[in-house]
Amino acid sequence: MKSRTMRYFEADKPRIEVIPMIDIMMFLLVFFIMITIDTIAGSGIALDIPNSKTPQVLKDSQITIGVQKDGAMFVQGKPITPEALTERLKADKAKGNVDVVIAGDKEVPLQKLLDVMDLVRAEGINSVGIAASKTPQNPAGAPAAK
């Protein structure tokens, strides 16, 4: 009588191995999740940032502050109060040069963005930018209609 392990390795009839298929499906799942994440680097929240015809590519900022429509601020995906933001900026400024990018949603009033910029500049940080994406162009060169 043959043992069970010997029968498993015999090639009597073809069989489909599912373990490699599971590995491939997990890889595809992770791949598509990473592609569909629509967040501003560093802010950790999804924002619909405004478009610009002439955005500049900046080096990675040390701090990215996300501002939502209601004025809520986020740093690294966590909500932050103006007081906590001030303390964090003081601590980062003490360590050296600090670059800040403010990523505001399209619907955020300009005054809220300026309030955040004032908080940053009050700590003596003058390297402040506002995040924007490049305006898509149609083949004729005019901005694309939405």
Side-chain angles (χ1 to χ4, degrees):
M1 182 168 143
K2 294 182 179 179
S3 70
R4 270 191 133 155
T5 58
M6 291 303 292
R7 281 186 284 163
Y8 179 79
F9 291 110
E10 290 179 4
D12 292 339
K13 54 186 174 181
R15 59 178 194 259
I16 298 173
E17 295 292 334
V18 294
I19 293 176
M21 287 194 301
I22 292 171
D23 292 343
I24 291 170
M25 294 307 292
M26 290 301 291
F27 173 75
L28 288 173
L29 177 67
V30 169
F31 177 75
F32 286 117
I33 288 173
M34 294 304 290
I35 285 177
T36 58
I37 292 177
D38 187 24
T39 61
I40 304 298
S43 73
I45 58 172
L47 293 172
D48 186 18
I49 61 173
N51 296 328
S52 172
K53 292 181 184 176
T54 59
Q56 293 179 343
V57 178
L58 300 176
K59 62 180 180 156
D60 292 336
S61 65
Q62 293 175 349
I63 300 175
T64 301
I65 304 168
V67 183
Q68 289 184 326
K69 296 176 196 177
D70 61 356
M73 295 184 296
F74 292 82
V75 175
Q76 295 178 339
K78 298 175 186 158
I80 192 165
T81 63
E83 296 81 18
L85 178 62
T86 301
E87 292 302 317
R88 175 167 179 168
L89 293 171
K90 280 181 187 177
D92 288 347
K93 178 75 173 168
K95 294 177 188 174
N97 192 24
V98 179
D99 297 323
V100 176
V101 172
I102 301 171
D105 196 83
K106 282 183 181 179
E107 304 296 323
V108 173
L110 179 61
Q111 186 60 53
K112 290 192 188 288
L113 290 178
L114 290 175
D115 291 343
V116 174
M117 189 176 285
D118 287 341
L119 281 173
V120 173
R121 288 195 173 165
E123 298 308 317
I125 300 170
N126 293 320
S127 179
V128 183
I130 296 179
S133 61
K134 186 168 178 77
T135 303
Q137 299 283 325
N138 65 17
K146 289 190 177 183

